[in-house]
Amino acid sequence: MTVKAILSDKGRKIVTIEPTASLNAALHLLAQHGIGALLILGPDRRIAGIISERDIVRALAERGAHVLDEPVGQVMTRKVVACNESETVAGVMERMTEGKFRHVPVVDQGRLVGIVSIGDMVKYRLQEMERESAALRDYIQTA
Ligand code: AMP
């Protein structure tokens, strides 16, 4: 099962923010959309970074509330791990576990086409497991 199935189900909406926007603006966007991370795009629409709620919590804990006025570009993670639509859900979940992050942008030939979170992956895997066990139950009952 591939990442494409998840994107087809959940959609391809991506919430982004400018690197010059403040952390306070990032917090509001996260809350408004009920999500855990925002992507930062360069002028060429390629991924320049990612900022998650954890980055903001860490910055607040280390430097205090005034960091909320600082630009997102100073706090974001620049080395972003991405995947493509043809990758398996299991493979991407493994990469998330190894890298200890919960969001992965999906790219197609360098172009951003979606984002998946660990929540999307778990939801999908549960549905898949339920389908498999229902098929097994049917098989046993008809055998
Ligand atoms: P998360 O678990 O997604 O809230 O992110 C935990 C940490 O990993 C934060 O420092 C994020 O900026 C970073 N991060 C999140 N997603 C990615 C990703 N796809 N590639 C690299 N770093 C990431």
Side-chain angles (χ1 to χ4, degrees), residues 27-62:
L27 270 184
H28 279 92
L29 263 186
L30 291 172
Q32 183 189 334
H33 292 274
I35 55 175
L38 301 166
L39 282 169
I40 296 94
L41 302 183
D44 51 1
R45 301 278 304 162
R46 285 181 184 258
I47 300 167
I50 189 165
I51 185 157
S52 89
E53 52 202 356
R54 276 197 201 172
D55 296 313
I56 302 176
V57 167
R58 193 181 311 124
L60 275 169
E62 285 171 359

Side-chain angles (χ1 to χ4, degrees), residues 46-100:
R46 285 181 184 258
I47 300 167
I50 189 165
I51 185 157
S52 89
E53 52 202 356
R54 276 197 201 172
D55 296 313
I56 302 176
V57 167
R58 193 181 311 124
L60 275 169
E62 285 171 359
R63 290 185 285 130
H66 67 89
V67 292
L68 292 178
D69 296 326
E70 286 186 12
V72 161
Q74 268 182 33
V75 177
M76 69 186 189
T77 301
R78 289 169 194 276
K79 205 170 166 222
V80 180
V81 176
C83 69
N84 59 59
E85 290 186 79
S86 58
E87 286 188 61
T88 63
V89 171
V92 177
M93 279 180 97
E94 206 175 302
R95 213 173 308 155
M96 285 172 150
T97 308
E98 275 167 16
K100 295 191 173 66

Side-chain angles (χ1 to χ4, degrees), residues 100-113:
K100 295 191 173 66
F101 45 73
R102 299 166 294 174
H103 303 89
V104 176
V106 186
V107 293
D108 180 20
Q109 293 171 355
R111 211 174 51 87
L112 183 63
V113 294

